[in-house]
Amino acid sequence: MFIGELSKRTGISTRSLRYYEQQGLLRPRRRASGYREFGEPDVAAVRRIRVLLAAGLNTDLIREVLPCMAEEGTILAPTCEEMARDLRQERERMGRSIEQLQAAHTMLGSIIHAGEAITAGRRA
């Protein structure tokens, strides 16, 4: 199938599919004419890529873990212990980022609250 058909079957724009190819996530065959030719495995690969992107992984990490992912119903599961370890490390990194964002959110709330108190005092 050509890229337009893959786009229709997956609901992903052709621009995104070209980006996935550029990032090494998809490897379509090339015809002599230069057209990309995709197969059924690419439909499944695009689904897995979308799940991993939604899980917050970047394309570099997705390129590493994609070969070791299997579909278990509606969720993906790592089939290589090394990849499972990498995913746990990424989740820990995300957890630290979330904690930092929550602290920043709290600090910003305090700043806003303090500013509201000052401006309310001026209006009184």
Side-chain angles (χ1 to χ4, degrees):
M1 78 186 83
F2 294 124
I3 195 167
E5 177 67 19
L6 181 62
S7 175
K8 287 177 190 169
R9 300 232 355 236
T10 60
I12 304 303
S13 71
T14 58
R15 182 176 179 205
S16 292
L17 295 171
R18 286 186 192 101
Y19 176 74
Y20 296 165
E21 180 186 5
Q22 178 187 23
Q23 295 300 304
L25 304 178
L26 293 175
R27 292 186 176 90
R29 291 187 325 219
R30 290 283 185 158
R31 289 184 159 200
S33 62
Y35 285 102
R36 295 168 180 85
E37 191 167 22
F38 297 91
E40 284 304 314
D42 294 309
V43 175
V46 170
R47 270 197 311 269
R48 289 191 297 273
I49 291 165
R50 297 305 294 176
V51 168
L52 294 169
L53 285 169
L57 302 185
N58 63 44
T59 55
D60 289 333
L61 187 53
I62 292 172
R63 185 174 41 259
E64 291 179 36
V65 302
L66 194 59
C68 289
M69 287 294 180
E71 293 185 40
E72 292 292 322
T74 60
I75 195 80
L76 294 179
T79 59
C80 308
E81 183 52 38
E82 181 180 320
M83 291 304 120
R85 187 179 61 246
D86 289 346
L87 291 172
R88 283 191 290 275
Q89 289 174 345
E90 181 64 12
R91 184 181 61 190
E92 290 170 9
R93 186 200 63 76
M94 285 178 175
R96 289 188 300 274
S97 292
I98 289 168
E99 290 170 4
Q100 291 170 346
L101 284 170
Q102 287 174 330
H105 183 267
T106 299
M107 178 63 72
L108 186 56
S110 297
I111 291 168
I112 291 168
H113 180 72
E116 289 170 343
I118 291 171
T119 57
R122 289 184 192 153
R123 282 185 248 154

